[in-house]
Amino acid sequence: MGEPPASPPPGGGALELVELLATKLHVPRTRRGLVPRPRLVDRLTEGLAGELTVVCAPAGFGKTALLADWARRSGWAVAWLSLDTGDNDPARFWRYVAAALGGVRDGVGNRVAPLLREPWPRSFEAVVTTLVNELATAPGEVALVLDDYHVIESPAVHRSLAFLVEHLPACLRLAVASRSDPPLPLARLRARGQLTEVRAAELRLTASEAAALLREAVGPGLPEDAVLALEARTEGWVAGLQLAALSLRRRPDVAGFVAAFTGSHRYVLDYLAEEVLDRQPARVRGFLLETSVLDRLCGALCDAVTGRSDGQQLLEAVDRANLFLVPLDEERGWYRYHQLFAELLRARLGQEQPERLPALHRAAGAWCEQRGLVDDAISHALAAGDGTWAARLVERHIAAILARGEGATVTRWLAALPARVVRSRPRLCTVRAAQAVIAGQAGVLEHWLDAAEQALAASVAGGPDDTAPDLPGWAAGWPPPDVRGTVMALRAHLARLRGDADRTIRLAGQVLAVVPADALVLRFAAEWNLARGHWLLGDLGEAERGLAELVPAARPAGENLTMAVCWDLGRVRCAQGRLRAAMDGYRRALAAVAETGGSSHPALGIAHLGVAAVLCERDELAGALDHAQEGVARCRQLAGTRLLAEGLAVLARIRHSLGDLAGAMAAIEEAGEVGPSPDVVDLFNPAPVERARLLLSRGQVSQVADWLAARGISPGDQPSYPREREHLLLARLLLAQGDVEPARGLLQRLHAAAAAQGRTGSLVELGAVTARALHACGQEAEALDALAETLTLAWPQGYVRVFVDEGEPVAALFGQLIARQRGGPVTPQSSVPADYLGRVAAAFSTGGRRPAPRAAAVVAHAVMPGLTETLTGREMQVLALLVAGAPNQQIADELVVALETVKKHVGHIFGKLGVANRTQAAARARELGLLR
């Protein structure tokens, strides 16, 4: 294979060499002296009838060797991935999985790359869904082997791999080798007979296998009693027997050697390793110890570390001697030590020559840095105790890493750096600050911005950063090279999160004034904050204009950013009282993504939540619930938690409207856990107010009063649009306490401010609460007039829940309005259609609450004979399309879900109806009265 090239491959971001990437996807070579184990190979082959095979045992039991032998003998197309700690970044993990699968099935994984560009994604179900769909259309069967899975500690990787296991296509089988049980649904698969397990007891060498191994290494003259004794002492442990074989070579006193060691595996290994190491020539022994600092080895890298020039020859000699060196490619250019042997070598090096460790790591890091092996270079720099060098490496490559979507790697790097080093480097502080923006943590954001400004003041930096990569446009990622401009832009974010409209607008304007036209990321962030600053001011027309212009500007950056801007735009339109425009925008966004083949994209969840919010306001609760559940599920995969929290708040309101109080509280409690910090203003963090409103609806008045007091909200406050919902909650609290006059005064001030700015959405809600307040103090005529005037604003857009949620007092007023319209004089509400009034009155008919529907068109399903389990609302939609003759892909496009999701729904429908195909499903559905 030779020395890797001096420069990284084009487009690779200087992250991994092509050759080194190939070693991770390479089925390890069969080592000389491997004992054939046909019983276990057959066991693995039989296990392919199931979905998952787990080979689990402590180190040294031959897990990798067994799977590699099976891979070469099985005849299957095997996609192999050797894992290391860097694969705890889920984006990197799935990029490697896609590469492994693409290596045995052309084209598989091509659609994954666009889904892996989000800097700090939450989950990777969309990536898995895309891979599953691609595999489902690829010819032939594939086995995916994940070796050394025990190095994976990332919950995001575990969750996404479990998702793959739950949605495994028929053409794919998964094998996992690990020192411990992987956190996958093993019990469920075991119960279904879909799990094959090979554990330590089966991996132990039998007496005949132990004899074959020992005699292959030592010679046929090894006495039978020595073979039996060694097999018994090691309990068939492969690594122990291999070391024993090495130690026995050319040893005259075999019996004495066999009698010399007993006890645990660790004792045996220590003893045998010492025996093996001490018998090596000094040149080889020194080479083994010095190169043990390396995770992967090639001749040139070993030369750089040892200061010698014979690294390749020594590697080949160590390989020939079977000294636990594992070739990583067919050309024997790259190797690694067996993990147990590496651990022992490093321990011995630390005992004998601890003073040499920094120099060895420094030499290894310099070689890796020159060849673009950034992760390895950073690890060696830190191991050498040079945090400044490591920080410089992080700064130089961080934008390229984020452009690849490997945000978890960035988080790992920053966590590994000394805190004082991070705080001293403005660019790294801005990365920490950007992470706080995504998490919605205003206090953390302020901390890192303060640190960045202090670091800037202590340095001469602050202009364009010469360590930043030369990446064009949006690909430059975060942080941009202009550190001072970045800090200013993040200060605008902080002002927005805290509801300071004037400061947000001023800082955003300053960014636009000072950063160049090609600083796309900074200018976009400034324009977005400028529009949101006008939103905070209550200047909704200017906010809508700015956001509408940003939608096309966001498209080059991908669906996540585009949909986030669409969400804000829809919310502003709802604040304007333009529900129809908001709904049209959300539906167009859904259709646009579906047309480009992105029906499984997690960002679609944002648009689903927008549709759900509008449907809820119109009291179309069954559809609202479906869209909200779909939206929340998808938003769990997005980077920022703000939209997930807002989606959970929407879901909570829908569940509450359906009478599912426990479900509503569960959703809003989760929103509080995942959402922004409490000091983020309500406009960008609605969950706390929604939670308090739920508590008030349950009669927990004192809790709500305490919460509002802690927030500093009082009846004498002057109106503030960013805190309008908190003041509305206070008005409702005062009404619940019987303090009508303070409530009326507060409502009047809020109404005047909303009217002055033409905020129709606020006027509709304020009108409903005002009518309730007037009714509470006995002013019926004024209450009716206030409600009638509000209805003239509300009915063209289909508002319903805003009235129903105010409860019985407003219901009584609606009854009077309807009676007045039927026979009374002409009044403002005369222009309101009677069918609209009737629809709102009907929504009051169950006291504003109704049982949550199980399906949109199912009635009396609980007692329906022959239907043992209710179809969900989504399953009813799938059933209707299925009966209409729509193929699965058309159903997926119609409902804007993944193809595999449709297949899952169809399977559930068949199971619940007790049928085997579409024709039987249609007949059974009609028989049960499910279709109308």
Side-chain angles (χ1 to χ4, degrees):
M1 175 178 169
E3 180 178 341
S7 58
L15 298 179
E16 297 270 11
L17 294 176
V18 171
E19 288 82 355
L20 188 55
L21 172 65
T23 65
K24 290 170 63 68
L25 309 178
H26 176 80
V27 179
R29 287 177 55 91
T30 301
R31 296 179 60 201
R32 289 187 303 276
L34 176 73
V35 176
R37 310 185 77 182
R39 61 186 175 89
L40 295 180
V41 171
D42 291 345
R43 176 77 186 282
L44 292 177
T45 301
E46 292 168 4
L48 292 177
E51 296 181 353
L52 174 65
T53 297
V54 172
V55 181
C56 183
F61 273 84
K63 302 181 291 294
T64 299
L66 172 63
L67 281 168
D69 190 35
W70 168 83
R72 296 179 184 279
R73 297 172 183 270
S74 68
W76 274 66
V78 177
W80 185 282
L81 174 55
S82 296
L83 297 166
D84 56 43
T85 55
D87 298 316
N88 278 285
D89 187 315
R92 183 177 296 188
F93 176 88
W94 286 108
R95 188 174 284 113
Y96 275 127
V97 169
L101 291 169
V104 295
R105 287 292 178 265
D106 288 342
V108 169
N110 290 344
R111 292 170 55 196
V112 167
L115 302 177
L116 292 173
R117 293 176 185 153
E118 182 69 23
W120 287 283
R122 290 177 52 77
S123 70
F124 288 77
E125 293 178 4
V127 174
V128 177
T129 299
T130 300
L131 277 176
V132 167
N133 289 341
E134 288 186 300
L135 284 167
T137 60
E141 296 176 313
V142 178
L144 171 62
V145 177
L146 301 177
D147 193 24
D148 289 333
Y149 192 79
H150 54 269
V151 303
I152 300 299
E153 299 175 347
S154 164
V157 174
H158 294 324
R159 286 193 300 267
S160 54
L161 186 63
F163 184 80
L164 173 64
V165 171
E166 293 289 356
H167 299 84
L168 211 65
C171 63
L172 180 66
R173 292 295 178 268
L174 179 64
V176 174
S178 178
R179 294 184 186 180
S180 57
D181 275 355
L184 299 174
L186 302 184
R188 185 159 59 252
L189 291 171
R190 192 179 292 121
R192 296 201 309 237
Q194 294 294 308
L195 175 65
T196 298
E197 299 172 88
V198 179
R199 298 191 174 272
E202 297 165 278
L203 287 167
R204 296 183 190 279
L205 295 177
T206 63
S208 60
E209 291 169 342
L213 184 151
L214 291 168
R215 289 190 170 115
E216 171 69 22
V218 179
L222 189 64
E224 182 68 21
D225 58 347
V227 170
L228 294 176
L230 286 171
E231 190 275 329
R233 297 282 175 84
T234 60
E235 298 179 345
W237 184 34
V238 179
L241 282 163
Q242 288 171 334
L243 276 168
L246 288 173
S247 189
L248 278 169
R249 288 178 180 174
R250 295 180 298 277
R251 179 181 288 276
D253 184 13
V254 172
F257 169 78
V258 172
F261 70 92
T262 58
S264 68
H265 284 170
R266 174 56 62 185
Y267 175 85
V268 171
L269 191 63
D270 287 346
Y271 173 76
L272 292 175
E274 183 175 342
E275 284 281 309
V276 171
L277 271 178
D278 288 346
R279 294 174 62 192
Q280 300 304 314
R283 183 174 73 123
V284 173
R285 188 179 187 278
F287 177 83
L288 290 172
L289 292 176
E290 291 173 343
T291 58
S292 69
V293 301
L294 304 172
D295 291 326
R296 299 180 183 87
L297 308 89
C298 70
L301 175 55
C302 292
D303 289 345
V305 170
T306 64
R308 306 160 61 122
S309 60
D310 56 354
Q312 186 63 35
Q313 292 83 354
L314 280 172
L315 282 173
E316 292 173 0
V318 170
D319 186 23
R320 285 193 299 271
N322 257 353
L323 287 177
F324 289 83
L325 191 66
V326 181
L328 295 177
D329 55 38
E330 294 293 341
E331 293 79 17
R332 295 180 183 267
W334 285 93
Y335 299 82
R336 69 171 174 84
Y337 289 120
H338 187 286
Q339 291 172 357
L340 278 177
F341 196 55
E343 290 170 7
L344 288 164
L345 290 174
R346 290 165 189 161
R348 184 62 61 84
L349 177 64
Q351 293 167 2
E352 296 181 1
Q353 307 175 60
E355 72 285 352
R356 294 213 56 204
L357 284 171
L360 294 172
H361 281 294
R362 193 171 289 111
W367 189 93
C368 291
E369 179 183 5
Q370 291 171 4
R371 287 153 183 82
L373 301 178
V374 183
D375 219 353
D376 291 334
I378 291 171
S379 296
H380 285 298
L382 290 170
D386 195 337
T388 301
W389 177 23
R392 178 174 54 80
L393 287 168
V394 172
E395 286 180 325
R396 181 173 297 169
H397 296 283
I398 200 166
I401 287 279
L402 291 175
R404 290 168 58 99
E406 296 182 8
T409 295
V410 170
T411 300
R412 174 168 56 84
W413 284 352
L414 292 175
L417 292 174
R420 58 172 180 79
V421 173
V422 176
R423 285 195 299 270
S424 70
R425 306 185 78 86
R427 186 168 169 80
L428 296 185
C429 291
T430 62
V431 176
R432 284 289 203 190
Q435 292 174 320
V437 170
I438 290 175
Q441 302 296 312
V444 177
L445 170 58
E446 184 173 34
H447 167 81
W448 285 110
L449 288 178
D450 290 345
E453 289 178 341
Q454 291 169 10
L456 281 169
S459 70
V460 296
D465 186 348
D466 61 4
T467 68
D470 184 16
L471 297 173
W474 286 105
W478 194 277
D482 183 351
V483 180
R484 290 194 188 278
T486 301
V487 171
M488 192 184 302
L490 289 169
R491 284 285 182 195
H493 274 292
L494 178 61
R496 170 184 62 82
L497 291 175
R498 289 187 166 156
D500 189 337
D502 292 333
R503 182 170 170 78
T504 301
I505 292 171
R506 177 169 56 81
L507 288 171
Q510 288 176 3
V511 173
L512 294 172
V514 301
V515 302
D518 61 352
L520 297 186
V521 175
L522 285 181
R523 294 191 70 84
F524 184 91
E527 294 280 8
W528 198 2
N529 276 327
L530 189 63
R532 291 188 287 192
H534 285 291
W535 184 10
L536 285 165
L537 275 179
D539 184 359
L540 302 183
E542 187 63 23
E544 188 203 18
R545 184 197 62 76
L547 291 168
E549 291 178 356
L550 282 176
V551 172
R555 289 196 179 105
E559 300 298 343
N560 288 6
L561 190 62
T562 304
M563 285 293 186
V565 177
C566 285
W567 169 258
D568 282 351
L569 178 59
R571 286 196 60 206
V572 168
R573 286 170 172 166
C574 287
Q576 292 174 313
R578 300 169 59 208
L579 299 184
R580 296 183 189 279
M583 177 67 88
D584 288 345
Y586 291 134
R587 289 199 181 280
R588 281 197 301 272
L590 285 171
V593 176
E595 286 173 4
T596 59
S599 60
S600 63
H601 201 293
L604 279 177
I606 302 171
H608 277 292
L609 292 173
V611 172
V614 176
L615 289 177
C616 178
E617 183 53 59
R618 292 175 173 172
D619 202 45
E620 299 176 29
L621 298 180
L625 182 62
D626 277 344
H627 279 283
Q629 290 173 333
E630 181 82 14
V632 165
R634 289 175 184 258
C635 283
R636 293 189 192 282
Q637 304 172 45
L638 296 177
T641 55
R642 170 204 157 199
L643 291 170
L644 173 60
E646 293 193 39
L648 287 163
V650 171
L651 179 60
R653 187 184 179 201
I654 294 167
R655 286 176 172 172
H656 187 240
S657 299
L658 288 165
D660 182 7
L661 302 185
M665 283 305 299
I668 208 65
E669 292 291 357
E670 184 185 354
E673 292 171 2
V674 304
S677 55
D679 54 343
V680 173
V681 72
D682 171 71
L683 208 60
F684 305 110
N685 185 26
V689 175
E690 286 295 333
R691 181 180 183 276
R693 190 173 177 186
L694 277 175
L695 294 175
L696 185 61
S697 72
R698 298 169 61 170
Q700 295 173 263
V701 174
S702 61
Q703 270 188 262
V704 176
D706 291 343
W707 182 80
L708 285 169
R711 298 283 290 177
I713 301 296
S714 64
D717 291 344
Q718 289 302 309
S720 167
Y721 177 57
R723 309 195 77 176
E724 181 181 77
R725 285 164 50 83
E726 291 173 296
H727 285 112
L728 267 168
L729 178 65
L730 175 59
R732 293 183 176 104
L733 173 68
L734 292 169
L735 292 175
Q737 293 173 324
D739 295 331
V740 179
E741 288 307 316
R744 286 186 59 189
L746 178 59
L747 290 168
Q748 286 169 356
R749 292 194 300 277
L750 292 170
H751 192 282
Q757 294 184 314
R759 292 188 275 106
T760 302
S762 295
L763 291 173
V764 171
E765 187 170 7
L766 284 163
V769 182
T770 297
R772 177 181 162 192
L774 291 167
H775 173 80
C777 61
Q779 299 181 18
E780 289 295 311
E782 291 85 348
L784 287 171
D785 288 343
L787 185 57
E789 183 178 349
T790 302
L791 286 170
T792 63
L793 300 175
W795 77 261
Q797 300 294 325
Y799 282 93
V800 175
R801 293 305 312 181
V802 70
F803 301 110
V804 175
D805 289 344
E806 297 307 319
E808 184 57 36
V810 178
L813 292 173
F814 258 91
Q816 294 179 52
L817 281 178
I818 292 172
R820 180 191 292 183
Q821 188 183 55
R822 286 172 180 166
V826 176
T827 58
Q829 86 274 9
S830 299
S831 61
V832 179
D835 63 340
Y836 170 73
L837 291 175
R839 183 153 62 89
V840 178
F844 279 110
S845 62
T846 57
R849 300 287 179 264
R850 67 191 72 171
R854 293 289 186 178
V858 176
V859 293
H861 54 262
V863 294
M864 191 174 291
L867 187 60
T868 58
E869 187 176 353
T870 302
L871 297 180
T872 67
R874 180 63 87 186
E875 288 166 356
M876 284 299 300
Q877 292 175 316
V878 173
L879 176 62
L881 291 169
L882 181 151
V883 171
N888 285 349
Q889 187 60 61
Q890 182 180 333
I891 296 174
D893 294 341
E894 179 78 17
L895 299 179
V896 199
V897 297
L899 178 61
E900 283 301 312
T901 301
V902 172
K903 293 178 179 178
K904 181 180 68 173
H905 285 316
V906 171
H908 290 168
I909 290 167
F910 286 178
K912 292 178 180 182
L913 296 180
V915 299
N917 55 48
R918 287 170 170 246
T919 303
Q920 293 175 2
R924 186 63 170 154
R926 293 189 179 95
E927 175 188 340
L928 295 172
L930 296 177
L931 301 174
R932 295 179 176 177

